[in-house]
Structure formats: C-alpha cells, structure tokens
Amino acid sequence: MKQIDIKRELKKESDRFAPDPIVKIKTAARAENLLPYDAQQNSEVYTQGNSAVIAKNKRKTIWLFTVFASVIGCLILILSLTLPSERNKPFTPTRLHFSAEDVYGIGAVSGVKLLKNNMPASAVKSFSAVNAIAYTTTEKSADEAKRQAEKFNEYFTALDSFFGDDVVSTSTIANTDSNYDYETKMTITGKDFNGETVTYTMYYTETLVETNSTDENEETESEYRLVGIMTIDGANYYLEGERSEESEKDESETELKIRAYADKEDKTSYIQMEQEYSIENGETETEYVYSIYAGGELLEQTAVEFETENKDGKVETEYELEFRKGASKGKYIVKREVVENKAEIKVKYAIDGKSGEFRIREITDANGDKQYEYTFSDNEKIVF
C-alpha cells in the first residue's frame, strides 16, 4: 500500500480551500480604486501588493484620525458652549441694587443737582418756562441726539459724581451740628468724571410712621418718613422722602422716594427720584425714576438703571438713561472710559429706531471753569 504524505496533502487542501491573500488584497484595493485594472499593470500590482496594502492602511489610518479629531473638536466646542466657564461668559452687565441709605444719597445729590440745572431757588416760578425752551440751543440740527443734547446734559451733570467702581458709598453718624436740627448726618461719597473723590453732606431725620405685622406669614410692613437738608455749593435744599419696608421670613424688600425742593414753602414744584421694581422673565429689575413737577404738573419723567461688569479683571460701571415722558425721547447707555490716559464718556443712544454714539470730555474755558464737550460721529462739537 502506497504511503500517503500527510504534509503534502494538507498543503494541497490548503491551496484549494484557503483564499490567496494576494487576491484578497488585490480585490480590496480595486474596490477602493487603489489599483488600475489594465492587464499591463496586473503583474506589477501582484509584486507590489504589500505596498498597496500599506498605502491603503496609511490612508485609512489618516482618515480615521481625521474623523476622530473632528469628533473631538465638535465635542470640545459643544461643551465650551454649554458648560459654565468664566472664560466663555459674555461680559453681560449686572444690575446694581443699592441699600436704602445709598438710594437716599444718590437721590439727594442727583435730585438737587438736577434741580439746580432746571430752576434756581430764587426763580422757581420760571421752571415751566425754562423747561419749554430747553431744546433751542441745537434745534436747527437734524440729528435728534444733538437737538436734545442740552436736556441729556442736565441728567448727565446730575449723575456725574457716580462713575466709581462702587458707584456710591454712604456713612451715617449722629448729627452734632447745631446749625441743622436733624438727628442724622450722612456723608455721600462718589467719583467724578476724572475719577476724583467727591463728597456731599445731608442732614435728616427718619421717623417710623406705621408698622403692620401678621403672624401667619411672619410678614411685617413698615412705613418711614424723612425730612432733611442737602448742602451743595454752600446752598441748602429742602428734602422729603418716604420709605416702605416689607419683610417675610428671610426675604425683605425696600421701596423709597426722595424729593428735592427749590422752595420749602412751595410743595408743587420739585424733583423726585423714586425706586421702581419690575419683574421680567423671572428677574427683578430696579430702576430709579426721576419726575419733574412744576405747579403740580408732571413735565417729564426719566428712568435710570445702574449696571456693572467685570472685564479683564477690572470693574466697570455704566448706566442706562431712558426719557419716558416729555419733549425728550430715546435711550442712552453711558460708560466711562480711559483713552490715552484721559477720561472720556462714551454714550450710545437709540432714538426713533436710529442708533449712534457720541463722546464727552471735560474741558476748561478761559475763566478756568469746567465744561463738557460733546463730540458726535460727524465731528460736530457742542459745549455745555
């Protein structure tokens, strides 16, 4: 009997049933358009099969790496937009909320300065006439922002002491000055146009008028009344105010108003600043609304909202002013900047659907008095 060579038979069977790896490589390469189909190159393809496989694998590796890198990049982008990160947060201003004392201080200073701009204490009767002609200086200008620049400047001047990082700080002590028959002395500190500290003094007495409480909700409501004097530039201005305080468990809310009078005997002509709250999209906004009355008639109303933002590690303060009632109209965003080591105020405005901006800088006239120079986008200048 003939002896069978097992090894040889196994090899034959392997050649019959196991696919040629070169054929597999060639087929895969052609499927990927990596090998030509002409007969002339067939033999070369077989001899370089391993090189083609390596090239294909390299391409596939590069393609996979590119896809992987793209996926990782997309994930990083998505996470950077969705996860909280200080670096990716926009510089959105945060609304400022002041204490009752701070609101009293801001209201007293700005109200009296606005009062001075509109009606001298010796001529309160002329307030209506002053208000009526307040727009004639630039009336010929077609630009509404220029036309009402004088009225805007009255409010800007009234608020030009509150450009500091903290806007305002107040301190109170028992009054020991016998010239003022009030219980408390308040010192109001702010920063002016150039960043210099400015201080004002107010003497006042605040009295609890009424208080109500309920045990069911642990709610307490209290009403206070204020009378006092604000001293600016050696002149005294009479003040009155009211404050209501509502507390419930761990929450409390204060609303107040303060009025400045040019003539203590005439209670029909005054400037009032009132704290107003509104809720929008679940967020409480606090505005300070100035109302100007003459002869008991409301002539104009303007709202101011203070904001602050932390940009590049530096706290910057701005405020938004909106004319609500009266001849003036529009919104203004007022922000202090330092340009080439000099302080400037950038004002962006929107009036009747038109927007623009102008800049304000402080200058000195021939007599050494300080003035404000407004420069508009067309380089026209208006000085107050």
Side-chain angles (χ1 to χ4, degrees):
M1 187 173 182
K2 189 176 180 181
Q3 189 174 4
I4 299 174
D5 190 337
I6 296 176
K7 290 184 178 181
R8 191 186 316 174
E9 291 299 322
L10 288 174
K11 186 177 185 307
K12 288 180 181 179
E13 294 298 315
S14 173
D15 291 340
R16 285 176 57 195
F17 296 104
D20 188 344
I22 298 299
V23 174
K24 287 184 65 177
I25 293 170
K26 178 181 176 183
T27 303
R30 282 179 171 166
E32 295 291 336
N33 292 322
L34 298 177
L35 288 178
Y37 283 85
D38 57 279
Q40 184 179 354
Q41 291 182 341
N42 280 348
S43 59
E44 184 179 350
V45 167
Y46 275 94
T47 58
Q48 297 181 351
N50 290 336
S51 298
V53 172
I54 293 171
K56 176 187 175 183
N57 289 338
K58 283 185 178 180
R59 288 199 226 6
K60 186 176 291 188
T61 301
I62 293 172
W63 180 80
L64 289 172
F65 179 79
T66 303
V67 172
F68 178 76
S70 300
V71 171
I72 293 298
C74 291
L75 287 174
I76 292 173
L77 179 61
I78 292 170
L79 290 174
S80 67
L81 293 174
T82 57
L83 293 179
S85 170
E86 291 297 326
R87 185 180 63 183
N88 293 312
K89 283 184 178 179
F91 297 122
T92 303
T94 302
R95 296 177 179 88
L96 290 174
H97 302 283
F98 302 109
S99 68
E101 289 78 11
D102 292 343
V103 177
Y104 271 145
I106 293 175
V109 173
S110 58
V112 167
K113 293 176 75 173
L114 192 58
L115 188 74
K116 289 175 61 181
N117 291 336
N118 282 281
M119 49 182 179
S122 60
V124 67
K125 298 294 184 181
S126 66
F127 181 37
S128 296
V130 170
N131 187 73
I133 65 172
Y135 308 98
T136 58
T137 301
T138 57
E139 192 171 6
K140 293 181 179 180
S141 174
D143 190 332
E144 185 67 23
K146 296 175 187 177
R147 192 183 75 82
Q148 63 186 31
E150 184 172 355
K151 176 54 62 178
F152 171 84
N153 188 66
E154 291 177 1
Y155 285 89
F156 175 74
T157 304
L159 295 165
D160 65 1
S161 299
F162 305 113
F163 282 116
D165 294 347
D166 297 325
V167 181
V168 64
S169 63
T170 55
S171 62
T172 57
I173 59 173
N175 178 36
T176 59
D177 191 337
S178 59
N179 294 316
Y180 300 96
D181 189 21
Y182 300 101
E183 295 178 357
T184 304
K185 176 183 178 181
M186 175 185 285
T187 301
I188 302 132
T189 304
K191 294 289 182 68
D192 66 8
F193 190 102
N194 294 305
E196 301 295 329
T197 300
V198 289
T199 58
Y200 305 91
T201 305
M202 179 172 73
Y203 302 89
Y204 69 95
T205 297
E206 188 180 57
T207 305
L208 176 63
V209 177
E210 183 181 3
T211 184
N212 297 302
S213 61
T214 58
D215 295 333
E216 183 179 352
N217 298 321
E218 299 180 23
E219 182 178 343
T220 302
E221 295 182 7
S222 302
E223 300 286 340
Y224 298 84
R225 181 173 182 270
L226 175 144
V227 291
I229 291 289
M230 182 84 208
T231 63
I232 291 184
D233 298 333
N236 294 331
Y237 295 86
Y238 181 67
L239 303 172
E240 287 186 354
E242 293 88 34
R243 176 168 68 94
S244 64
E245 190 174 86
E246 181 178 335
S247 60
E248 181 179 350
K249 294 183 179 180
D250 297 330
E251 297 181 2
S252 63
E253 184 176 284
T254 299
E255 296 185 10
L256 57 80
K257 60 182 68 173
I258 188 166
R259 296 178 296 279
Y261 297 88
D263 185 347
K264 183 178 179 179
E265 304 304 320
D266 181 7
K267 297 295 183 67
T268 65
S269 298
Y270 57 89
I271 291 178
Q272 173 179 278
M273 188 185 89
E274 180 178 6
Q275 192 178 46
E276 277 194 5
Y277 294 97
S278 63
I279 298 177
E280 184 176 348
N281 298 325
E283 182 178 358
T284 301
E285 298 182 3
T286 306
E287 294 180 319
Y288 304 92
V289 180
Y290 292 83
S291 301
I292 298 181
Y293 289 85
E297 180 185 355
L298 176 62
L299 298 182
E300 66 183 47
Q301 194 172 71
T302 304
V304 175
E305 183 176 27
F306 293 91
E307 296 180 335
T308 185
E309 66 179 8
N310 193 321
K311 188 174 182 179
D312 299 328
K314 183 179 179 182
V315 177
E316 298 179 349
T317 302
E318 64 184 36
Y319 64 84
E320 180 181 289
L321 183 149
E322 179 183 5
F323 290 116
R324 288 184 174 176
K325 179 179 176 61
S328 299
K329 51 190 172 182
K331 288 186 178 181
Y332 297 78
I333 297 177
V334 184
K335 185 174 183 178
R336 180 180 182 273
E337 295 182 341
V338 177
V339 179
E340 297 179 354
N341 297 322
K342 292 184 179 180
E344 285 189 359
I345 302 296
K346 182 172 72 173
V347 182
K348 293 183 178 181
Y349 62 86
I351 306 171
D352 292 338
K354 297 180 180 179
S355 60
E357 70 175 50
F358 56 86
R359 290 185 174 269
I360 306 173
R361 68 187 186 102
E362 190 178 76
I363 61 174
T364 304
D365 64 11
N367 298 321
D369 296 325
K370 292 182 179 180
Q371 295 178 305
Y372 286 135
E373 180 186 76
Y374 287 53
T375 303
F376 293 85
S377 56
D378 59 0
N379 288 324
E380 182 179 346
K381 300 180 187 298
I382 302 174
V383 177
F384 300 102

